[in-house]
Amino acid sequence: QVQVVESGGGSVQAGGSLRLSCAASGYTFSRSRYCMAWFRQAPGKEREWVASIDTGAGSTNYAGSVKGRFTISRDNAKNSVSLQMNSLKPEDTAMYYCAADPLCGGGYNYWGQGTQVTVSS
């Protein structure tokens, strides 16, 4: 069974930084390529996509609201990615979820439980 586990959330003041980590296990991920993404959901709002990475193509994509402030990257640990969040704003406050698409096209079918990020003004 695939497990996706996030870590690194917390509380920070506006302008600060946090780094989220995500590790997936229980699936024979390709050594050369897998896709993962971060989503977030603020209270009373729909879940929204934040950033994604295709480790095979070496490509990353970002929502406009976080572009230039957040960086998604592949960790040295197998099947792991991080989300470096800088210049945080109160509107970044949300539960952040990591999702895995081992086949890079099969859909984000594996989700973590989420980690809370709270940014105070």
Side-chain angles (χ1 to χ4, degrees):
Q1 184 173 351
V2 178
Q3 288 189 319
V4 178
V5 180
E6 306 98 335
S7 61
S11 297
V12 65
Q13 289 191 327
S17 299
L18 282 174
R19 185 177 181 89
L20 306 183
S21 295
C22 173
S25 61
Y27 188 96
T28 306
F29 287 81
S30 166
R31 291 185 178 181
S32 60
R33 186 187 187 203
Y34 56 89
C35 292
M36 297 180 81
W38 288 94
F39 294 77
R40 67 185 182 186
Q41 187 168 20
K45 294 188 176 181
E46 297 287 322
R47 185 176 297 187
E48 64 174 352
W49 166 77
V50 174
S52 56
I53 183 169
D54 179 330
T55 61
S59 61
T60 57
N61 289 285
Y62 300 92
S65 58
V66 306
K67 198 169 186 178
R69 301 187 297 122
F70 290 12
T71 302
I72 187 171
S73 60
R74 178 179 185 175
D75 287 348
N76 290 332
K78 189 178 179 181
N79 308 335
S80 298
V81 296
S82 294
L83 184 69
Q84 177 67 41
M85 306 185 294
N86 298 328
S87 302
L88 283 161
K89 305 175 181 180
E91 51 263 43
D92 293 318
T93 295
M95 185 71 78
Y96 282 70
Y97 298 90
C98 179
D101 175 10
L103 301 179
C104 291
Y108 292 109
N109 296 317
Y110 306 105
W111 292 77
Q113 293 300 306
T115 185
Q116 178 68 38
V117 171
T118 302
V119 184
S120 58
S121 58

